[in-house]
Amino acid sequence: MTATLSRSVPITRAPRGRRPRSRAAAWAAVAVIGLFGLAPIYWLVVTAFTPDERAFTFPPSLVPTELTFDHFTKLADNEKLFGYLVNSVVVSVVTAFLSVVVSAYMAYAFSKFRYRGRKSLMHLVLASQLFPQALLLVTLYAVFSASGLLGGYTSLILSFTTFTLPLCVWMLKGIFDTVPSTLMEAAAIDGASRWRTLHRIALPLAAPGLVAAGLFAFVRAWNDFIFALTLTDPDRQTLPPGLVHTYLGEFQTAWPDLMAASFVVSLPVIAAFMFLQRYLVGGLTAGAVKG
Amino acid sequence: METLNRRAAFRLAGLSALGAALAACAPDAAGGGAPKGDAAAKRFGFTSWSLNEEAQKAAVRATVDAYAAKHGVRIDTASFPYNEYLNQVTLKLRGGQLSGAVQLDISWLAALAAMGKLKDLGAQAAKGGYTDVALSSGRFQDRQLGLPWTTGSIGLVANTEVLKKAGVEGMPATVEEFEDALRKVAKLGGGITPYAAATKAAQLKDILPWMRTFGSPLMEGDTITVGDDASVAAVEWYKKLYDAKLIAPDVDRFDARALFAQGKAAFYDDAVIARGVVAAQSPDKSLTEKMAPLARPVLKAGDQPQALLWGHVIVVVDGEGSDAAADFASYATSDTATVTAFFEKVKLPPTTTAGLADPKVAGDAFTTEWTEKITKTATPNPFWRYAGYAQIETAIAEQVQAVLVGQSPAKDALARAAETAKPLQK
């Protein structure tokens, strides 16, 4: 079964002569935004290849005059850094997986079933986003401490999953809303159970949304600093606190080493994003417009 | 689009209140009363940010390992990044997750002492042979809660080569001579900042010793005196340097070090450890030979030079293994062989009379000169006695910055700073 949506939209052409100017303005806007986005990355890469004594040159030079690979070769000797990377991968992947699984079921229930308290529950899920997460740190610390979960991966994964759920649920609910209920009814007539309908029909149709939700949860877990620093033991800490711990201190500011490490550990995430970006864009916009 | 009707809103509010109530009912992680100290305990903790600082971790680890081997104990070490250290230690102490010995910056002592969980180390202090100024850095409300590990000061450092090029003879002793020297350096051009003084709000607390230099006590009894004539004069003088480009905008400690390391600053403020930190950033391998500590210039000859006391102490959390941890703290801070070996590795001056007199320490010209010229007259920041000292410093710094950028006259700005700081005195 296919559902098609066709609407005739009148297309009005911009007056001749104004198009090149508006196109130039659009390109200029893109260039400015691109500059803002890419300049820090450019500076990160330049600093990573700059010798220590040149990294603090004042005024700073935008184009490197001397290059070194020392900061990258030093990384190979740093076993701790590899440990932080492994912790980041474990925490982020499990968080992404849990977030997708839990939010998919919640979103499907909110979208396709009608029951007493549904709207209140939906708003409660959204209301949990209103609390600044940093404020929850102290309470979560006490709760995990009392339950003996402090120090390991569990406290971190549970925290991150909790924080990502509201957005994932609402994102996926929007996507399930666009899946026609007639599909489910057709499946039921054909004898499919609700379980089968959900897993064989609804979830495959929502795949781009699931990937987007997973990526959102992954990035949230990958980037967090304060929870990863506070809720885990040093040997379970993820990259953000690990990098700060390793390179920044009371008197040490090993910026070139920090930039080299940041550059290297970013590569797997960049690769994953490039591979999954079409799902991400599709997933984020899929539930935006109801047909 | 979903709309929230009144009934749903009430439900939502009720559920939110229930959630908040449940969160508030979370059990106190501190648990029951912790067992008391035991001198024979074979295991305790040691928390220190230096365990992760590249320049210091080997030396700290050596001290820990030597004590553990000598006494047959196991010391569980933990570390947090310096900038997050106080938050982490506070949270863990409140949650009952922190025990044993803990390294602290001297400015943080009041914040932790206020929680009432630190052991009185008076007995260890009495037999340690510490200098009076060092002991004062670990004292809170007449109780010795910290044993001083290193005691130094934040003072002025000069690049003698730049001064020589500018034709500055000798070190300036008064504010007038200092300003004169800055004007001579400014004439060198070449992008040199004569005095890389702090001008970013985060570091503008560096102006406090200048306020004292101009005669403001900062506090009298329990009254903050920022805003008095002397402090206003100090800020107006700072603004004069700023307008004359003798100090530069947007400079903090890291920027100042970078400028100084590149030979682009004649003076800047730093701690005694500056020598190693700046040298590591400098392309000039002989920079350390050109660095000279100087007493902060005084308003008129005969005044006492002002400097801010700086250092680290080791405190001990009351409870399990606290006696053994106190013995470790005493060993790390007062055993002469240990503290002199520590000094040789990290150049942080010891805190005992015997340690300072040891040839390995006394023979280090830079450290000795620093101690004589700067640390000797250094005093603690009077705001450190309050747990909210950092907010008080920020309130002052923000108003000083408003003066520097021309948003407010010094008198009005400092009056506002004092007003903001008043409720933070707790």
Side-chain angles (χ1 to χ4, degrees):
Chain A
M1 190 185 287
T2 57
T4 55
L5 174 73
S6 64
R7 278 184 194 162
S8 59
V9 180
I11 299 170
T12 52
R13 193 179 287 270
R16 200 174 286 276
R18 286 182 62 185
R19 285 186 68 198
R21 212 182 298 167
S22 59
R23 188 174 291 178
W27 276 110
V30 168
V32 170
I33 293 167
L35 191 69
F36 270 97
L38 294 177
I41 297 169
Y42 171 77
W43 197 242
L44 180 148
V45 176
V46 167
T47 310
F49 286 99
T50 304
D52 282 332
E53 64 276 11
R54 293 274 161 222
F56 297 98
T57 308
F58 197 88
S61 167
L62 283 176
V63 181
T65 51
E66 207 176 316
L67 295 177
T68 180
F69 288 92
D70 285 356
H71 310 303
F72 291 93
T73 51
K74 266 196 267 178
L75 285 179
D77 303 329
N78 197 333
E79 287 174 19
K80 267 186 156 182
L81 215 57
F82 183 72
Y84 294 135
L85 179 64
V86 170
N87 294 338
S88 269
V89 171
V90 170
V91 169
S92 304
V93 168
V94 177
T95 298
F97 177 76
L98 273 181
S99 299
V100 168
V101 170
V102 177
S103 60
Y105 289 119
M106 282 176 74
Y108 187 76
F110 283 144
S111 174
K112 297 298 174 195
F113 299 122
R114 296 291 176 268
Y115 47 91
R116 197 177 170 82
R118 184 181 73 101
K119 283 188 178 173
S120 300
L121 273 174
M122 280 165 56
H123 289 127
L124 184 65
V125 168
L126 194 62
S128 66
Q129 282 288 76
L130 302 177
F131 293 99
Q133 288 170 3
L135 286 183
L136 300 176
L137 181 61
V138 178
T139 309
L140 281 175
Y141 183 89
V143 170
F144 286 130
S145 172
S147 56
L149 294 174
L150 208 60
Y153 291 136
T154 316
S155 53
L156 215 50
I157 290 167
L158 285 178
S159 303
F160 292 155
T161 306
T162 310
F163 300 148
T164 55
L165 271 181
L167 190 71
C168 291
V169 167
W170 276 82
M171 191 195 305
L172 289 176
K173 181 192 172 291
I175 290 168
F176 284 126
D177 283 347
T178 63
V179 177
S181 296
T182 47
L183 275 178
M184 318 297 166
E185 289 159 13
I189 290 167
D190 287 344
S193 64
R194 280 186 172 167
W195 180 261
R196 194 174 172 86
T197 306
L198 168 63
H199 290 93
R200 291 297 174 90
I201 296 171
L203 286 182
L205 286 171
L210 298 177
V211 173
L215 276 176
F216 166 72
F218 183 91
V219 172
R220 172 68 183 79
W222 186 270
N223 286 338
D224 180 88
F225 172 78
I226 195 70
F227 281 82
L229 176 69
T230 308
L231 299 180
T232 53
D233 288 337
D235 60 338
R236 287 284 186 270
Q237 279 173 4
T238 57
L239 275 167
L243 290 177
V244 171
H245 217 154
T246 308
Y247 297 116
L248 301 179
E250 185 186 15
F251 291 106
Q252 67 181 26
T253 45
W255 291 114
D257 290 324
L258 176 60
M259 295 302 147
S262 303
F263 179 66
V264 169
V265 301
S266 300
L267 291 177
V269 188
I270 293 169
F273 260 82
M274 288 175 79
F275 180 67
L276 297 169
Q277 63 172 331
R278 60 198 171 100
Y279 295 104
L280 181 66
V281 175
L284 287 175
T285 54
V289 180
K290 273 188 178 180
Chain B
M1 191 179 145
E2 299 284 350
T3 55
L4 192 65
N5 60 29
R6 197 186 304 170
R7 195 170 155 196
F10 275 127
R11 272 190 209 145
L12 183 59
L15 284 166
S16 300
L18 180 65
L22 285 172
C25 290
D28 180 3
K36 281 292 162 192
D38 174 10
K42 291 293 175 193
R43 188 172 178 180
F44 57 87
F46 177 47
T47 307
S48 159
W49 72 84
S50 295
L51 280 162
N52 229 66
E53 296 262 338
E54 195 56 41
Q56 295 163 26
K57 62 184 180 186
V60 178
R61 177 58 62 188
T63 301
V64 170
D65 290 346
Y67 182 86
K70 189 175 171 186
H71 294 83
V73 297
R74 178 173 161 184
I75 303 177
D76 299 315
T77 58
S79 184
F80 307 104
Y82 179 78
N83 287 336
E84 283 295 325
Y85 191 85
L86 181 59
N87 289 339
Q88 295 297 316
V89 164
T90 305
L91 192 60
K92 284 172 170 43
L93 185 60
R94 192 180 291 276
Q97 301 286 326
L98 191 70
S99 65
V102 183
Q103 178 188 14
L104 287 185
D105 188 295
I106 59 173
S107 62
W108 301 337
L109 184 63
L112 256 69
M115 296 168 73
K117 294 186 175 183
L118 300 184
K119 183 181 174 68
D120 192 326
L121 301 173
Q124 287 78 7
K127 63 182 182 185
Y130 303 100
T131 63
D132 288 342
V133 67
L135 273 182
S136 71
S137 70
R139 203 172 291 135
F140 178 76
Q141 293 179 346
D142 296 329
R143 293 176 73 208
Q144 193 69 44
L145 297 180
L147 295 180
W149 198 2
T150 185
T151 300
S153 49
I154 306 276
L156 277 171
V157 190
N159 183 325
T160 53
E161 187 181 56
V162 174
L163 293 183
K164 199 174 169 188
K165 272 188 202 164
V168 178
E169 300 289 333
M171 289 295 176
T174 63
V175 170
E176 199 180 331
E177 288 171 15
F178 183 62
E179 201 177 318
D180 192 41
L182 298 183
R183 292 187 192 283
K184 284 181 179 167
V185 174
K187 285 181 187 159
L188 286 176
I192 291 182
T193 299
Y195 174 27
T199 46
K200 266 186 193 163
Q203 199 66 54
L204 254 170
K205 59 188 176 185
D206 277 6
I207 200 172
L208 297 178
W210 284 117
M211 288 182 178
R212 281 177 155 173
T213 298
F214 277 74
S216 174
L218 301 180
M219 281 201 73
E220 262 174 352
D222 287 333
T223 308
I224 292 178
T225 63
V226 171
D228 59 8
D229 290 346
S231 59
V232 170
V235 174
E236 283 172 345
W237 173 74
Y238 217 65
K239 165 77 168 155
K240 186 171 79 171
L241 301 186
Y242 187 84
D243 290 342
K245 298 192 178 354
L246 301 177
I247 62 178
D250 283 329
V251 172
D252 64 9
R253 184 89 69 232
F254 293 113
D255 302 322
R257 284 182 188 138
L259 284 166
F260 195 85
Q262 302 293 325
K264 299 282 188 186
F267 299 99
Y268 87 112
D269 296 274
D270 208 341
V272 62
I273 204 168
R275 179 175 42 169
V277 179
V278 171
Q281 295 181 11
S282 179
D284 179 1
K285 298 300 168 207
S286 61
L287 181 68
T288 50
E289 294 155 26
K290 299 165 191 166
M291 290 174 73
L294 71 149
R296 189 175 303 275
V298 294
L299 198 59
K300 56 182 189 301
D303 286 355
Q304 179 171 287
Q306 298 294 327
L308 183 67
L309 198 65
W310 169 89
H312 305 157
V313 294
I314 299 182
V315 298
V316 173
V317 180
D318 231 341
E320 194 172 2
S322 64
D323 287 344
D327 188 60
F328 165 73
S330 176
Y331 167 86
T333 56
S334 67
D335 179 77
T336 303
T338 302
V339 297
T340 52
F342 191 71
F343 172 80
E344 280 190 297
K345 289 170 191 160
V346 299
K347 300 298 178 198
L348 285 173
T351 54
T352 60
T353 311
L356 288 166
D358 189 279
K360 288 171 191 159
V361 181
D364 186 283
F366 186 85
T367 303
T368 310
E369 202 180 353
W370 189 290
T371 304
E372 274 302 307
K373 289 182 174 172
I374 303 176
T375 307
K376 201 174 173 183
T377 58
T379 49
N381 180 334
F383 305 134
W384 288 347
R385 76 178 83 162
Y386 303 114
Y389 82 93
Q391 287 125 296
I392 295 176
E393 288 178 351
T394 303
I396 297 169
E398 284 174 353
Q399 292 303 326
V400 173
Q401 198 174 45
V403 175
L404 292 182
V405 299
Q407 282 180 353
S408 177
K411 195 161 185 61
D412 296 350
L414 292 188
R416 272 197 303 276
E419 202 55 41
T420 312
K422 221 176 191 175
L424 299 168
Q425 289 177 261
K426 51 190 175 188

